[in-house]
Amino acid sequence: MINAGIVGGAGYTAGELLRILINHPDVEIAWVQSNSQAGKAVAAVHTSLLGETYLQFQAEAEYGSVDVLFLCMGHGRSASFLSENEVPEEVRIIDLSTDFRAESEDHDFVYGLPELQRDRIRLATRVANPGCFATAIQLALLPLAKNGLLEDHVHVHAVTGSTGAGQAPSATTHFSWRNNNISIYKAFRHQHLQEIGQSVRMLQPDFDLDINFLPLRGNFPRGIYTSTYLYTDLKAGKATELFEEFYADSPFVFCSPTNPDLKQVVNTNKGIVYLDWHEGKLLIVSMIDNLLKGASGQAVQNMNLLFGLDEAAGLRLKPSQF
Amino acid sequence: MINAGIVGGAGYTAGELLRILINHPDVEIAWVQSNSQAGKAVAAVHTSLLGETYLQFQAEAEYGSVDVLFLCMGHGRSASFLSENEVPEEVRIIDLSTDFRAESEDHDFVYGLPELQRDRIRLATRVANPGCFATAIQLALLPLAKNGLLEDHVHVHAVTGSTGAGQAPSATTHFSWRNNNISIYKAFRHQHLQEIGQSVRMLQPDFDLDINFLPLRGNFPRGIYTSTYLYTDLKAGKATELFEEFYADSPFVFCSPTNPDLKQVVNTNKGIVYLDWHEGKLLIVSMIDNLLKGASGQAVQNMNLLFGLDEAAGLRLKPSQF
Amino acid sequence: MINAGIVGGAGYTAGELLRILINHPDVEIAWVQSNSQAGKAVAAVHTSLLGETYLQFQAEAEYGSVDVLFLCMGHGRSASFLSENEVPEEVRIIDLSTDFRAESEDHDFVYGLPELQRDRIRLATRVANPGCFATAIQLALLPLAKNGLLEDHVHVHAVTGSTGAGQAPSATTHFSWRNNNISIYKAFRHQHLQEIGQSVRMLQPDFDLDINFLPLRGNFPRGIYTSTYLYTDLKAGKATELFEEFYADSPFVFCSPTNPDLKQVVNTNKGIVYLDWHEGKLLIVSMIDNLLKGASGQAVQNMNLLFGLDEAAGLRLKPSQF
Amino acid sequence: MINAGIVGGAGYTAGELLRILINHPDVEIAWVQSNSQAGKAVAAVHTSLLGETYLQFQAEAEYGSVDVLFLCMGHGRSASFLSENEVPEEVRIIDLSTDFRAESEDHDFVYGLPELQRDRIRLATRVANPGCFATAIQLALLPLAKNGLLEDHVHVHAVTGSTGAGQAPSATTHFSWRNNNISIYKAFRHQHLQEIGQSVRMLQPDFDLDINFLPLRGNFPRGIYTSTYLYTDLKAGKATELFEEFYADSPFVFCSPTNPDLKQVVNTNKGIVYLDWHEGKLLIVSMIDNLLKGASGQAVQNMNLLFGLDEAAGLRLKPSQF
C-alpha cells in the first residue's frame, strides 16, 4: 500500500482527492493536514464523505509515515511550504498549485500532463500537476502541435464551473449572482497561457503565434468546456486520425464521433475531444471535469505513474451524467 | 411627487426597491444612503440599473428633503438607527427589518400587511414591512382565521430563494454548494412565527394551536413556495370562495384555478394561492416573490397606501416567467 | 462472474445501472435490450459511457446466457413482459417497476428494501425494487415502526429531482419551465404510499394513522430530500440511538450528527438520516439519490444480496459533492 | 390606443409580447390567435399572467379590428400565412420570424433593428424583427462597420438561453440534460449569419471577411452573452467613444464602464456592450435578453417607432437582477 499525506486538506481539490483516494485499491491515507480545520473530522468539512472515513484533520504534516505528499494549498504557498519544510527525498511530491509548472533548472518538478510526457512522469519524483483550463486546452492543441500543424493563430473560448474558483465565498461565486449568469474574465490574459505555451513548444518548438484565450465563468459547479479553432486545411476526418493516434496510449482521452456535451465528462477523469471542419476552419471541442482531470483526478493519475501502478487505478469512476 | 430616501442602500432589498421606484410614476428618489458604498455610483452596485440612474450613494441621510424613508438595514439596526437619529414626525417611515413587526405600545409602527389591515396602514405614518416567509404563510392562513376555521394544528413547509439570505456571501449561499441542493434550517423555530401568530390572533383571537413551520433553502434566487395543510372538513370549493371573498379588494392576491408553480409570481408583486382537499385535509399552496411581495414590492405597496395612491402604482411589473 | 441482462435499456434507470455494472468487480453485462434503440451503440444513448463500453442495444432478450435479469421498463410493462416471456426459473429477476411491490400470493417477488428484509432478499430469486420516494420515506419511518413508535399522524414533505420523471421530455421537465422553479403534485395521493404502508405494517402491524405525503418537483436532476415529523415524546438523542441500532448492519445508511444537505448523497448509494426534536415534535430528515439508492444502486445492492456477494460490491462510488 | 392582434399566440415570443403589451400605456390587445389553444384562457398557457388578463385564445385572426399585427409563428410560417391571408394594407405588420429578414425586392419588410435604421422603420409599414443572436452580435459589430473598422476576421462566441429553442420539449431542452451543461451547435453555420452580414455591409459595403460564429447552448433560460474580437489597433478607449456616438440616440443600448455579466440585461430590453483591448485584439462583449431585445421587446420597440410613440414606451421594465 502507498501511504499518502495531504497538505492543505480543507479546500476543494483536497476534498476531491480524498473522495478518490478513499476507494483507491493501492492507497492508504495516512493523514490530512489543515491549518484552518485541525481537530475537526474530515467528513465534517467534506460532507459527502459521511460514513466513509473517520479521519480528522491534523495541524502537522508527518513526512516519516508517507510515500507521497499531495500539496493542495493555494497558489504561491507550495513554494514557501517546501522552502520552510524539509521533506525527505524519497517522499514523492505532487503539487496542485501553479508554483512549479514552469519547468526550470531551479527545481526538479516535472510538468504532469501524462498525455504529453507519460514517460518522464514515470521516472520523476516530483510532479507539478497542470491547471484545469491548461489541461482542457492542451488536449485540444497537443496533437496538432505534435504534427507541426499549429500554423495560424488559435482561438479558444472556455467556460469553467464555479468550483474552479475555490471554496472561499466571493461576489462571483454567490449563488444569487452566479445562478443563470455568465461572464468573461482575464480575457487574453489568463495565467494558464504560460503552461500551455510551454507544452506546445515542447512539441512544435517554433510556435510563436497567438493563443487567444477567453475564459468564462459558467453557472455550473463542475466542468470545463472549450471550443478552439484555427484556420487550416486539415479536415475533421484526418484530424481525428491524428488525435486518435496521439491519444492511443491514454486511457482517459477519447474522440467523440458526435458533437458532445459537458456532462459526458462530469464526475469522471476523462477528456473528450471532438473535431469539426467548416470552410477552412478546424474546430476542436475539448472537455474535462475541472476537479478531476483538471486537478485531483489527474494528481492521482500522476501518482499511479510515479508508483508504476495501472494508470487508471482508482479512477474508473461512475459518471454522474445528470 | 413623493420624495423618497433610502437608508442602507447597498443590500438586496434596497436594490429591488430602487429597481421599482425608478419607474414609479409618483416617486422621485431623493438620495440613497450607504455606509459601505458611499461615493460609488448606485448602478455600480445594483448593476442591472446601468443606464437607468446616475445617483450615487451618500454617507448621510437627509431628512429635510424627503416625504418617506425606507429603512433597508439589517435586522436590529432600524431600532438603533431611529434611537440615534431624529427623523421629523412628518416623514413617513417604512421599515423592512423585523424590529417593529411586533405591535406594541412602545412604538407606533403598524404591521404592514395590506391584505390584513389595509385601512390601518392608510392612516399610519410608520409601517413595519412584513417578513417574506411571514407574508407567504399569512396569505395561506388569514382567510381561514378570519372565519375561525383554524381548528387544528397547521403544517407548513416553505422553500425560499437564496436572495432571502442577503448579499453577504456565506457557506450556504456559495454557488458550488447551493446549486442543485436543498436543505432545512430552523425547523419549528423560525423567527417569523411570531408575526404570523400575531396576525392570526388578530382574526381568530383564541387560536392556540401549533403552526409547525419547516423552512427550506431552495436552489433558486427568487421566490417562496409554501404548502400548508390542516385537518378540516372545509373542502376546496368552499375554501376558495372564502379566499376570494377575503382577497376581493386586494389587487395582488389571486386564487389559481389550477395547481400553480413558483415562477408564476417571480418578478411580480403577486401572491398566488391554490386550494385542494383530500380525505379530511385542506392544502393551501401560496407563493410570492420574496424580494417583491415579500419585501420591497410590499414596501412600495405600503407607501402607496400611506400616500393615498393607487395601491398598485408602480407595481404592475412584467413577470419574467422564465 | 455474474452475467447480467438488461431489458428496457434506453431509459434513465438502465443508464444508471450500466454506469454501475461496468465497474462492478463481479458482473459481466451480457446484453442490453431496447426496442427503441436496437442496433445503436449503448454509449450513443448513455453518452457519459463514451470510451467505457462498445456494447450495442439489441432487440431481443436472451435468457440462456444470463444469471440475472434487470427489468427497467415503464410501470405496468414488467408484468406484461413476464406473462409474455418464459424466463427460466434459475434466472434471478430484479424488477425496477411498481408492478410487484405489493407482496401477494399471486407472485413470488420479495419487496427489495435491504434495510427492511435483508435476509428474505438473500433467499429470494425475484426482487421488486422499491420506489425512490418510498425508499427515502421508509428510511425515516422504519426504525420508529420497528419500535412501535408511530403513534400519531405522520407529516412528510419530499422534493425530488427531475430524473425521477424519466427521460421523455414533457412540460414539467422542460428546462425553461423547471429551472429555478418548484411545484407540488399528487398531494396526499402519491402511489408510493401503498408500499410505504405495507412496510410500516410489517414492523408495526396495527398502524392505521395517516401518512400525509406532499411530493414536490425540485429544480435539480438527482436526489430526494424528505422532511418527516410527528408528535411524540421521543427526543432526538434517544431516536438517534434507535436509528443507529436499526441500521447497524446496513452499509449505506448513516445518521448525520449535524443538519445535512442533499448533495451529501448525490451520486452515492447512501441514505442519510438526521433527527431533531422541538417542543413535542420529532423531525426526521432523510435523503437519497433517486437514481442510485432510489433505483439502480439499490437494484445492484439487491443483486449483491441475491448472489451472496458483499452488499456494497460495486457501490463504493465517489460522491460528486458538487 | 393602438389595437394589436397576435397571430401564433401560444409560443414563447407571443407570451413575452403579451406580458409587455398588457402594461403598455398605448396599446389594447384586441385578440390573440392560436390554432393549438383556441378557446383556452391566455393565462392558462402564459401562466404568469394570472390575474392580469381574461383574454381567451381564438382560432381566427380578425384584421378589421387591429392597427398592428404581430406574427409569432414558427420560421417559414409567416410567409405562408401572408400568402394565404389578405391583411389590409393599413394594418402594420411586425414579423418575428426569419422569413423577411433578407431585404429584397420581393417584399416590403424593413429589417427592424432600430439601432441600424431607426428612420427607415419609422416610415415603414412592415417590419422584419431581427433574430436574437443577430441582434446581440450586431450591437457588437455595427459601430465598427459604420467606421469601416472591420478589417480582419471576426471571432464570435455566443451563449444563449434555453427559451431561444422555443417551447416544444426536446432532448436538448430537457432539464435533466441541460441543467449544469453546455454544448455547441451549428458551429460556423448558424442561419443568423445572413442577416448579420446584410447589416454589416449596409455600413461597410466592401466587408468580405469571415464572421466566425460559435453558438452555444447555455444552462439558463433567458439571455444571450456574446464575446467578439478582432485584430485591430483600435484601443478600448477610442472604441468606446465610437460606440457611444453610434448609440447616442438609442435608449436601450449602453456601454458598460466595467466588465458586465449577463444578468444585468435579463428581463430588460437593454443591450449592454463592453470594450477591452489587449495586445492588438479588441474584445467586444455584448448582451441582451433573447426574449426582449432579442425578440418581443424589440418588436414593441419597432411598434413604437411605427406609430410615432416614445421608442421606450412600455419597455421601461424592472430588471430582475436575480
Side-chain angles (χ1 to χ4, degrees), chain B residues 260-312:
Chain B
D261 61 272
L262 181 60
K263 293 211 290 197
Q264 291 183 239
V265 296
V266 169
N267 214 35
T268 81
N269 197 51
K270 296 183 202 175
I272 290 184
V273 292
Y274 170 70
L275 294 137
D276 186 22
W277 185 91
H278 183 74
E279 296 184 354
K281 282 126 355 189
L282 180 70
L283 170 71
I284 312 116
V285 171
S286 74
M287 321 180 307
I288 61 167
D289 183 315
N290 60 303
L291 287 178
L292 286 163
K293 184 60 182 163
S296 308
Q298 187 148 261
V300 173
Q301 187 180 355
N302 279 316
M303 182 201 75
N304 290 342
L305 291 171
L306 287 177
F307 288 89
L309 304 174
D310 170 10
E311 188 173 335

Side-chain angles (χ1 to χ4, degrees), chain C residues 5-33:
Chain C
I6 298 174
V7 183
Y12 279 176
T13 55
E16 192 73 359
L17 188 59
L18 283 159
R19 289 187 288 271
I20 299 168
L21 292 182
I22 263 171
N23 291 315
H24 193 295
D26 306 304
V27 175
E28 194 82 26
I29 302 168
W31 46 259
V32 188
Q33 185 278 341

Side-chain angles (χ1 to χ4, degrees), chain B:
Chain B
M1 292 301 265
I2 298 162
N3 284 295
I6 298 174
V7 183
Y12 279 175
T13 56
E16 191 74 357
L17 188 58
L18 284 159
R19 289 187 287 272
I20 300 167
L21 293 182
I22 262 172
N23 290 315
H24 194 295
D26 307 304
V27 174
E28 194 81 28
I29 303 167
W31 46 258
V32 188
Q33 186 278 342
S34 166
N35 293 329
S36 62
Q37 306 290 343
K40 269 202 191 170
V42 163
V45 171
H46 305 302
T47 55
S48 61
L49 290 176
L50 180 71
E52 298 188 46
T53 179
Y54 297 92
L55 278 168
Q56 291 195 326
F57 293 106
Q58 60 183 54
E60 296 305 315
E62 300 165 42
Y63 315 115
S65 59
V66 296
D67 304 298
V68 63
L69 207 61
F70 290 93
L71 304 183
C72 297
M73 299 171 291
H75 302 306
R77 290 170 52 197
S78 294
S80 58
F81 174 87
L82 289 179
S83 71
E84 290 160 16
N85 289 269
E86 205 126 330
V87 181
E89 284 222 359
E90 65 273 16
V91 175
R92 287 178 177 83
I93 298 179
I94 297 170
D95 178 35
L96 282 84
S97 82
T98 59
D99 295 6
F100 302 102
R101 289 183 197 153
E103 299 211 343
S104 148
E105 293 185 359
D106 299 342
H107 65 77
D108 56 355
F109 280 79
V110 169
Y111 184 70
L113 189 75
E115 291 72 16
L116 174 67
Q117 44 188 0
R118 182 170 283 109
D119 291 338
R120 282 190 65 207
I121 298 166
R122 282 199 178 105
L123 301 173
T125 54
R126 301 184 161 198
V127 172
N129 213 53
C132 49
F133 274 130
T135 297
I137 295 167
Q138 288 177 74
L139 294 183
L141 296 181
L142 297 185
L144 297 172
K146 167 80 175 191
N147 291 282
L149 291 166
L150 294 178
E151 296 179 306
D152 198 7
H153 298 314
V154 175
H155 306 281
V156 185
H157 295 86
V159 191
T160 184
S162 62
T163 52
Q167 79 181 348
S170 70
T172 55
T173 59
H174 196 302
F175 181 83
S176 302
W177 185 88
R178 191 146 184 157
N179 173 262
N180 284 352
N181 209 355
I182 192 164
S183 57
I184 210 167
Y185 68 111
K186 298 185 186 173
F188 306 122
R189 303 166 178 88
H190 197 281
Q191 65 275 12
H192 285 185
L193 283 166
Q194 190 282 329
E195 56 187 287
I196 296 167
Q198 169 180 280
S199 297
V200 163
R201 279 183 295 273
M202 282 189 198
L203 300 179
Q204 185 176 330
D206 61 348
F207 177 80
D208 63 352
L209 296 160
D210 291 347
I211 297 177
N212 294 316
F213 170 28
L214 298 185
L216 292 105
R217 297 178 191 96
N219 59 322
F220 44 83
R222 277 182 182 264
I224 289 183
Y225 182 95
T226 78
S227 48
T228 297
Y229 64 88
L230 74 166
Y231 282 89
T232 175
D233 290 332
L234 180 73
K235 302 204 174 155
K238 179 65 184 161
T240 303
E241 281 175 35
L242 298 180
F243 273 67
E244 289 188 334
E245 192 182 312
F246 188 87
Y247 293 119
D249 297 329
S250 295
F252 292 115
V253 185
F254 301 97
C255 292
S256 174
T258 51
N259 184 12
D261 61 272
L262 181 60
K263 293 211 290 197
Q264 291 183 239
V265 296
V266 169
N267 214 35
T268 81
N269 197 51
K270 296 183 202 175
I272 290 184
V273 292
Y274 170 70
L275 294 137
D276 186 22
W277 185 91
H278 183 74
E279 296 184 354
K281 282 126 355 189
L282 180 70
L283 170 71
I284 312 116
V285 171
S286 74
M287 321 180 307
I288 61 167
D289 183 315
N290 60 303
L291 287 178
L292 286 163
K293 184 60 182 163
S296 308
Q298 187 148 261
V300 173
Q301 187 180 355
N302 279 316
M303 182 201 75
N304 290 342
L305 291 171
L306 287 177
F307 288 89
L309 304 174
D310 170 10
E311 188 173 335
L315 292 168
R316 293 179 185 91
L317 305 168
K318 189 191 83 60
S320 57
Q321 177 80 64
F322 302 110

Side-chain angles (χ1 to χ4, degrees), chain D:
Chain D
M1 293 301 264
I2 297 162
N3 285 294
I6 297 174
V7 183
Y12 279 176
T13 56
E16 191 74 359
L17 188 59
L18 282 159
R19 289 186 289 271
I20 300 168
L21 293 182
I22 263 171
N23 290 315
H24 193 296
D26 307 304
V27 174
E28 194 81 28
I29 302 167
W31 46 258
V32 188
Q33 184 278 342
S34 166
N35 293 330
S36 62
Q37 306 290 343
K40 269 202 191 169
V42 164
V45 171
H46 304 302
T47 56
S48 61
L49 291 176
L50 180 71
E52 298 188 46
T53 178
Y54 296 93
L55 278 169
Q56 292 196 325
F57 293 105
Q58 61 183 54
E60 296 304 316
E62 300 167 41
Y63 315 115
S65 58
V66 296
D67 304 298
V68 61
L69 207 61
F70 291 93
L71 304 184
C72 296
M73 299 172 289
H75 302 306
R77 290 170 53 196
S78 294
S80 57
F81 174 87
L82 289 179
S83 71
E84 290 160 15
N85 289 269
E86 206 127 329
V87 181
E89 284 221 0
E90 65 274 15
V91 175
R92 287 179 178 82
I93 299 179
I94 297 171
D95 177 34
L96 282 84
S97 82
T98 60
D99 295 6
F100 302 102
R101 290 183 197 153
E103 298 212 342
S104 147
E105 294 184 358
D106 299 342
H107 65 77
D108 56 354
F109 279 79
V110 169
Y111 185 70
L113 189 75
E115 291 73 18
L116 174 67
Q117 44 188 0
R118 181 170 283 111
D119 292 337
R120 282 189 66 205
I121 298 166
R122 282 198 178 106
L123 301 173
T125 54
R126 299 184 162 195
V127 172
N129 212 54
C132 50
F133 273 129
T135 297
I137 295 168
Q138 288 177 74
L139 293 183
L141 296 181
L142 296 186
L144 297 173
K146 166 81 176 192
N147 291 281
L149 290 166
L150 295 177
E151 295 179 308
D152 198 7
H153 297 316
V154 175
H155 306 281
V156 185
H157 178 266
V159 191
T160 184
S162 62
T163 51
Q167 79 179 346
S170 70
T172 55
T173 59
H174 196 301
F175 181 83
S176 301
W177 185 89
R178 191 147 185 157
N179 173 263
N180 284 352
N181 209 355
I182 191 164
S183 57
I184 210 167
Y185 68 112
K186 298 185 186 175
F188 306 121
R189 301 167 178 88
H190 196 281
Q191 64 275 12
H192 286 185
L193 283 167
Q194 191 281 330
E195 56 186 286
I196 296 166
Q198 169 180 281
S199 296
V200 164
R201 279 184 294 273
M202 283 187 198
L203 300 178
Q204 185 176 329
D206 61 349
F207 177 79
D208 64 350
L209 296 160
D210 291 347
I211 297 176
N212 293 316
F213 170 28
L214 298 185
L216 289 104
R217 298 179 191 94
N219 59 322
F220 44 82
R222 277 182 182 264
I224 289 183
Y225 182 94
T226 78
S227 48
T228 298
Y229 65 89
L230 75 167
Y231 282 89
T232 175
D233 290 332
L234 181 73
K235 302 207 172 151
K238 179 64 183 163
T240 303
E241 282 175 35
L242 297 180
F243 274 67
E244 289 187 335
E245 192 182 312
F246 188 87
Y247 293 118
D249 297 330
S250 294
F252 292 115
V253 184
F254 302 98
C255 292
S256 174
T258 52
N259 184 12
D261 61 89
L262 181 61
K263 292 212 289 196
Q264 292 183 240
V265 297
V266 169
N267 215 33
T268 80
N269 199 49
K270 295 183 203 175
I272 290 185
V273 291
Y274 169 69
L275 294 138
D276 186 20
W277 185 91
H278 184 74
E279 296 184 355
K281 281 130 347 191
L282 180 70
L283 171 71
I284 312 116
V285 171
S286 74
M287 320 181 307
I288 60 167
D289 183 314
N290 61 303
L291 287 178
L292 286 163
K293 184 61 182 164
S296 307
Q298 186 147 264
V300 173
Q301 187 180 354
N302 279 316
M303 182 202 73
N304 290 342
L305 291 171
L306 287 177
F307 289 89
L309 305 174
D310 170 9
E311 188 172 335
L315 292 168
R316 294 180 183 90
L317 305 168
K318 190 191 81 60
S320 57
Q321 178 79 62
F322 303 111

Side-chain angles (χ1 to χ4, degrees), chain C residues 47-124:
Chain C
T47 56
S48 61
L49 290 177
L50 180 71
E52 299 188 45
T53 178
Y54 296 93
L55 278 169
Q56 292 195 325
F57 294 106
Q58 60 183 55
E60 296 303 316
E62 300 166 41
Y63 315 115
S65 59
V66 296
D67 304 298
V68 62
L69 208 60
F70 291 94
L71 304 183
C72 296
M73 300 171 289
H75 302 307
R77 290 170 53 197
S78 293
S80 57
F81 174 86
L82 290 179
S83 71
E84 290 161 15
N85 290 267
E86 205 126 329
V87 181
E89 284 222 359
E90 65 274 15
V91 175
R92 287 178 178 81
I93 299 179
I94 298 170
D95 178 33
L96 283 84
S97 82
T98 59
D99 295 6
F100 302 102
R101 290 184 198 153
E103 298 210 343
S104 149
E105 295 183 358
D106 299 342
H107 65 76
D108 56 355
F109 280 79
V110 168
Y111 185 70
L113 189 75
E115 291 74 17
L116 175 66
Q117 43 187 2
R118 182 170 283 111
D119 292 337
R120 279 189 67 206
I121 298 167
R122 281 198 178 109
L123 301 173

